């Protein structure tokens, strides 16, 4: 039985074929994407050189999905990512993205937890809701979740107090700009 705590080791041969070391068979990029969607981490290593190729292949999977019309990343986000490679803010972008996705996963887990917790899970007390700026953060997370899931997951009915989609995007841009300013001040 495979140990799901350790990343699944995929070896790339000189022929560029990808070999799953757990099942002793060749796999495709789509197979690797499936492992990841199932919650499994992967590590892709070049057999000859020993180089870690994981990042390269994960980017290739994202690019293939984006080119097939399965867009998750809006054009402005992709544009900002490209810009981050040539700006001072580039050094803080990876940490910001990692923290954003971690917050997204945590909020998604909490949301799922709350959905299973009683007759009216929305009535449960949330101490974080009393924090200043919580509503703005919640709106940002909802917009992010909507963008990541194509507007499908977790939406049962539109919120009455929800801002228009353009306002959500503008609020996210403003918050991102403020975070970038704060991060640039920390780097100095």
């Amino acid at each position: 039985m495979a140990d799901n705590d350790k990343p699944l080791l995929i070896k790339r041969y000189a022929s560029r074929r990808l070999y799953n070391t757990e099942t002793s068979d060749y796999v495709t990029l789509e197979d690797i994407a499936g492992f990841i969607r199932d919650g499994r981490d992967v590590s892709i290593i070049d057999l000859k050189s020993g180089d870690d190729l994981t990042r390269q292949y994960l980017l290739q999977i994202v690019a293939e999905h984006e080119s097939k019309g399965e867009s998750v990343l809006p054009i402005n986000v992709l544009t900002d990512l490209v810009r981050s490679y040539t700006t001072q803010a580039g050094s803080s972008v990876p940490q910001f993205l990692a923290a954003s996705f971690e917050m997204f996963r945590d909020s998604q887990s909490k949301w799922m937890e709350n959905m299973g917790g009683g007759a009216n899970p929305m009535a449960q007390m949330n101490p974080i809701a009393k924090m200043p700026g919580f509503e703005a953060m919640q709106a940002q997370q909802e917009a992010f979740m909507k963008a990541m899931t194509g507007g499908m997951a977790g939406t049962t009915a539109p919120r009455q107090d929800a801002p228009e989609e353009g306002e959500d995007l503008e609020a996210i841009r403003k918050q991102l700009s403020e975070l970038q300013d704060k991060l640039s001040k920390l780097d100095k």
Side-chain angles (χ1 to χ4, degrees):
M1 175 159 251
D3 182 1
N4 287 334
D5 291 340
K6 292 191 307 188
L8 171 61
L9 179 60
I10 306 289
K11 293 182 179 179
R12 184 185 80 169
Y13 285 92
S15 64
R16 296 190 180 264
R17 292 190 71 187
L18 300 168
Y19 185 76
N20 181 338
T21 59
E22 285 183 2
T23 59
S24 301
D25 61 348
Y26 291 102
V27 293
T28 64
L29 283 179
E30 192 54 41
D31 294 330
I32 293 171
F35 299 144
I36 294 168
R37 278 190 292 271
D38 291 341
R40 190 74 192 270
D41 289 332
V42 298
S43 178
I44 304 170
I45 305 297
D46 183 88
L47 184 64
K48 186 175 181 181
S49 68
D51 292 342
D52 186 346
L53 305 174
T54 308
R55 178 184 307 270
Q56 172 187 334
Y57 278 93
L58 294 179
L59 286 169
Q60 188 174 347
I61 290 168
V62 168
E64 284 189 14
H65 282 277
E66 289 286 323
S67 70
K68 291 179 186 175
E70 301 171 26
S71 298
V72 170
L73 300 169
I75 294 291
N76 60 334
V77 171
L78 292 170
T79 303
D80 288 342
L81 281 173
V82 170
R83 281 188 188 118
S84 73
Y85 283 98
T86 59
T87 65
Q88 235 180 342
S91 63
S92 59
V93 170
Q95 293 87 1
F96 173 76
L97 290 174
S100 296
F101 274 98
E102 186 174 330
M103 186 171 72
F104 173 71
R105 281 190 304 269
D106 289 347
S107 66
Q108 195 174 32
S109 295
K110 293 284 185 196
W111 184 80
M112 294 301 285
E113 200 175 278
N114 287 339
M115 289 305 290
N120 187 1
M122 296 305 166
Q124 293 179 358
M125 185 53 120
N126 183 354
I128 297 174
K130 295 177 184 174
M131 288 177 37
F134 175 75
E135 289 179 7
M137 183 181 75
Q138 189 176 30
Q140 179 184 6
Q141 286 179 338
E142 288 173 8
F144 185 68
M145 182 141 173
K146 185 175 183 180
M148 295 298 292
T149 61
M152 306 269 293
T155 56
T156 54
R159 283 183 34 197
Q160 298 298 325
D161 63 336
E164 293 295 318
E165 190 170 317
E167 292 175 12
D168 277 347
L169 186 56
E170 190 57 39
I172 291 171
R173 283 186 180 142
K174 182 180 177 189
Q175 289 175 351
L176 180 59
S177 176
E178 290 170 358
L179 286 171
Q180 286 174 333
D181 289 343
K182 288 178 183 177
L183 288 172
S184 67
K185 288 176 184 174
L186 289 174
D187 288 336
K188 291 181 181 179

